Amino acid sequence: MNISVRYMNLTNDNQNITKGIATISIDDCFNIEGVTVKRSKEDKLYVQLPQRPYYDRETQEKKYKNACYPTNKEVREQISEVVLEAYYEKLEERKNTRQENDLQEDEETSL
């Protein structure tokens, strides 16, 4: 099974637990939008598949249920690995772009 990331967008809010939002493709024939990279309370990154809200009938409390999920551990691990790899690549791109912009600004101010 080939799992790839079609899009990865990083969030700009450091206070937000959501760090990135992705669209993944499975075998180039099935896309899943809304795959998120989140930071846990223990400061570790994890991947969460899309969820949909619902209200508990007894408590009327808003809860969330998985909209889709892998049927085995291996597929979940593969999805997590691919999404986190794309997240780190995008983070590195952002860092390099900022460094290039800072360098250009330094060159412009020295002229």
Side-chain angles (χ1 to χ4, degrees):
M1 179 179 330
N2 180 32
I3 299 172
S4 60
V5 175
R6 293 216 179 257
Y7 308 103
M8 171 61 74
N9 294 314
L10 302 179
T11 59
N12 292 322
D13 183 1
N14 290 335
Q15 303 303 318
N16 194 339
I17 65 168
T18 300
K19 300 300 177 187
I21 302 171
T23 297
I24 65 171
S25 178
I26 300 173
D27 291 333
D28 289 325
C29 63
F30 187 80
N31 288 341
I32 301 173
E33 295 179 345
V35 178
T36 56
V37 175
K38 293 191 173 189
R39 184 167 305 280
S40 70
K41 292 178 184 175
E42 296 81 28
D43 207 32
K44 294 183 180 181
L45 292 178
Y46 67 96
V47 173
Q48 185 176 53
L49 291 169
Q51 296 184 325
R52 59 182 177 86
Y54 72 95
Y55 288 93
D56 184 282
R57 289 184 182 176
E58 292 179 16
T59 64
Q60 296 304 310
E61 182 181 347
K62 188 175 186 178
K63 295 185 177 184
Y64 294 88
K65 181 177 181 169
N66 291 334
C68 60
Y69 49 89
T71 56
N72 61 54
K73 181 180 176 182
E74 291 79 19
V75 174
R76 177 171 291 286
E77 289 173 351
Q78 187 177 0
I79 291 170
S80 291
E81 183 180 311
V82 168
V83 171
L84 287 174
E85 185 178 302
Y87 170 79
Y88 286 121
E89 285 175 10
K90 193 75 168 183
L91 208 55
E92 188 67 26
E93 280 179 32
R94 178 187 275 184
K95 179 182 169 186
N96 290 339
T97 301
R98 284 184 178 163
Q99 287 175 347
E100 288 173 10
N101 290 342
D102 290 346
L103 186 61
Q104 286 176 349
E105 287 177 9
D106 289 345
E107 288 175 357
E108 289 173 2
T109 56
S110 66
L111 294 177

